[in-house]
């Protein structure tokens, strides 16, 4: 099911009437009804610029029912869709806003890779391979440090800009199940794509790793030199989290260097 996640995108939804809150209550009610009937409920967020471009390339009006249904019926990998499991309407909306941000980031990364590949074949493959190695190093270190402190994993976040425009941002948990590191495939793919696109586009940004529930925040800057341990975490990020607890920022540990 393709859904709008804010008032601005509601203009593309055929037959939508009333406010966004009315629309969202209806979306949630239909999801609950389908789930109660034993049907899987898989949701995709509408990303306005990608939606408009897709409709225009197909020669369809993005404000038409035909355009909306054609775009909604396109094939999407199942692990990119979000599975509704009975969450409240507010929880469902919050998750879909996160999905919309992740999908928008993926579209921008794809544009970066396409542009780079046109001039440097193989650049995307190199960037993804290197980024996967960085993720492995981060997850292994997160688990090692968390377990030494009696925790279980950590949290990785990456924010990058291409010039003055945000390329994207992504945050994901890292956990341990049965003694093995667990990073869901969708998280792995999204992180690797964003870091890889950031590097080939020479973007600026910041990478962080929090170990355990309240461990220090390890910080790296992302730039032309690759990933560099940063001494300026408090200047790059907010010094306190949403709950008002102070955070300790420390430079990141050495990561694999680009070949």
């Amino acid at each position: 099911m393709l859904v709008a996640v804010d008032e601005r995108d509601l203009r593309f939804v055929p037959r939508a009437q009333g406010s966004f809150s009315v629309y969202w209550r209806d979306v949630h009610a239909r999801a609950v009804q389908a789930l109660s009937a034993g049907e899987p409920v898989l949701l995709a967020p509408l990303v306005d610029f990608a939606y408009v471009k897709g409709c225009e390339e197909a020669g369809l009006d993005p404000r038409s029912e035909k355009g909306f249904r054609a775009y909604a019926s396109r094939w999407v990998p199942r692990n990119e869709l979000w599975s509704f499991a009975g969450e409240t309407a507010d929880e469902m909306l919050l998750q879909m806003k996160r999905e919309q941000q992740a999908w928008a980031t993926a579209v921008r990364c794809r544009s970066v890779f396409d542009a780079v590949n046109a001039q440097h074949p193989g650049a995307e493959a190199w960037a993804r391979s290197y980024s996967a190695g960085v993720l492995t190093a981060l997850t292994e270190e997160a688990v090692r440090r968390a377990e030494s402190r009696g925790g279980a994993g950590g949290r990785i976040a990456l924010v990058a800009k291409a010039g003055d425009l945000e390329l994207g941002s992504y945050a994901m948990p890292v956990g341990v199940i049965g003694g093995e590191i667990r990073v869901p495939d969708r998280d792995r793919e999204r992180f690797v794509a964003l870091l890889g696109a950031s590097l080939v586009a020479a973007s600026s940004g910041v990478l962080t790793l929090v170990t355990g529930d309240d461990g220090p925040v390890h910080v790296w800057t992302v730039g032309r030199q690759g990933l560099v341990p940063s001494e300026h975490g408090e200047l790059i990020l907010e010094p306190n989290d949403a709950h008002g607890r102070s955070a300790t920022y420390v430079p990141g540990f050495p990561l694999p260097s680009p070949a």
Side-chain angles (χ1 to χ4, degrees):
M1 185 192 311
L2 179 67
V3 298
V5 297
D6 56 36
E7 191 78 39
R8 181 187 61 183
D9 295 337
L10 194 58
R11 68 190 188 276
F12 296 122
V13 179
R15 304 181 187 179
Q17 298 180 352
S19 65
F20 178 77
S21 60
V22 171
Y23 162 78
W24 194 253
R25 284 199 299 270
D26 178 63
V27 169
H28 184 259
R30 284 187 284 139
V32 170
Q33 183 178 20
L35 192 67
S36 299
E39 301 174 12
V41 181
L42 302 174
L43 303 177
L46 191 153
V47 179
D48 57 356
F49 64 90
Y51 172 72
V52 171
K53 181 180 179 181
C55 286
E56 290 178 345
E57 289 177 346
L60 300 171
D61 180 356
R63 293 178 181 269
S64 69
E65 183 167 348
K66 185 176 181 180
F68 186 88
R69 294 195 182 285
Y71 190 83
S73 64
R74 76 200 190 288
W75 181 83
V76 176
R78 193 183 191 284
N79 71 340
E80 281 296 322
L81 301 171
W82 183 70
S83 179
F84 175 68
E87 290 83 356
T88 67
D90 287 344
E91 291 169 340
M92 178 176 165
L93 180 57
L94 178 59
Q95 184 60 44
M96 291 311 296
K97 285 182 177 295
R98 291 171 177 162
E99 287 296 294
Q100 185 186 57
Q101 184 181 50
W103 279 51
T105 294
V107 172
R108 297 188 192 106
C109 289
R110 185 67 263 156
S111 296
V112 168
F113 284 136
D114 288 345
V116 171
N117 286 337
Q119 298 183 17
H120 305 284
E124 179 180 354
W126 168 84
R128 287 181 178 274
S129 177
Y130 169 70
S131 299
V134 168
L135 179 57
T136 296
L138 286 171
T139 54
E140 290 178 347
E141 189 68 11
V143 171
R144 187 183 70 79
R145 292 177 183 243
E147 288 184 334
S148 69
R149 302 175 69 254
R155 187 171 181 81
I156 297 170
L158 173 62
V159 179
K161 290 185 176 182
D164 295 329
L165 301 177
E166 181 179 348
L167 177 59
S169 60
Y170 199 67
M172 63 183 191
V174 178
V176 180
I177 300 177
E180 295 184 2
I181 300 170
R182 298 293 186 184
V183 177
D185 289 343
R186 72 204 311 260
D187 285 336
R188 183 180 300 277
E189 167 62 23
R190 290 172 173 180
F191 177 87
V192 165
L194 177 55
L195 179 56
S198 301
L199 294 172
V200 298
S203 301
S204 60
V206 59
L207 169 67
T208 62
L209 168 65
V210 181
T211 52
D213 296 327
D214 58 355
V217 182
H218 301 273
V219 184
W220 296 262
T221 53
V222 182
R224 293 184 180 277
Q225 290 75 36
L227 299 168
V228 180
S230 175
E231 298 278 359
H232 307 293
E234 289 184 88
L235 299 179
I236 297 173
L237 303 166
E238 292 292 337
N240 298 294
D241 68 15
H243 301 288
R245 297 173 297 199
S246 61
T248 301
Y249 293 94
V250 298
F253 42 85
L255 290 172
S257 300

